[in-house]
Amino acid sequence: MDLYTRRQLTLLLVVVVVAGAGLGIDRWRRTDPEQVERLEAFDRAPVTPPPARPPRPVVRAVPSRAAVPLDLNRATEDDLDRLPGIGPALAARIVEMRTRRGTFGAVDELRRVRGIGDAMLARLRPLLAIGPAP
């Protein structure tokens, strides 16, 4: 009468061999750390951070008497992006609103654009003007 089947004995032998190999590797790692360090660093590429993007220049339009207001009906996204508080997404929404609904009749119509509140409109009002339709 056999205690274990051939399959169970094979599995037991595999478990013992794997455990023995693990103990042997652990002992080797403890006795020779310099070689372990050298082997672990063998295939590693040096980690270099991605190149930093240069900061986007901030151009602030300061209202003055000599400054010519920007025509809201002719301004491009880049022109609008240069205004204080307006980024690329908001500039795109303004141009989209102008394309979809037609030209602006007054600067106060900017209030309908999502993202422009009363405070921002008050800051932008001296910098914008409504010219003839393009």
Side-chain angles (χ1 to χ4, degrees):
M1 169 178 231
D2 291 332
L3 286 173
Y4 297 104
T5 65
R6 184 177 205 99
R7 186 178 252 169
Q8 289 172 332
L9 285 173
T10 304
L11 180 63
L12 185 60
L13 179 64
V14 168
V15 168
V16 169
V17 168
V18 169
L23 289 172
I25 291 172
D26 182 53
R27 182 177 171 103
W28 171 75
R29 289 176 67 91
R30 290 174 193 246
T31 58
D32 204 357
E34 295 87 19
Q35 189 174 5
V36 171
E37 175 100 18
R38 194 179 82 229
L39 287 174
E40 285 181 348
F42 181 69
D43 64 344
R44 288 190 191 146
V47 178
T48 57
R53 286 181 16 192
R56 187 171 168 234
V58 177
V59 179
R60 301 203 191 278
V62 180
S64 69
R65 294 172 200 245
V68 177
L70 183 64
D71 184 0
L72 191 56
N73 288 327
R74 294 181 187 267
T76 64
E77 285 185 32
D78 289 334
D79 295 336
L80 293 168
D81 187 22
R82 290 187 179 98
L83 293 173
I86 294 184
L90 189 53
R93 282 198 299 266
I94 293 171
V95 171
E96 177 193 350
M97 169 91 51
R98 183 178 66 203
T99 305
R100 200 166 16 110
R101 292 196 174 177
T103 58
F104 290 100
V107 175
D108 291 338
E109 290 180 18
L110 269 180
R111 184 65 183 91
R112 294 188 308 206
V113 177
R114 184 175 47 92
I116 297 183
D118 294 330
M120 183 178 291
L121 185 60
R123 272 196 321 255
L124 293 175
R125 194 173 282 121
L127 304 174
L128 298 172
I130 302 294

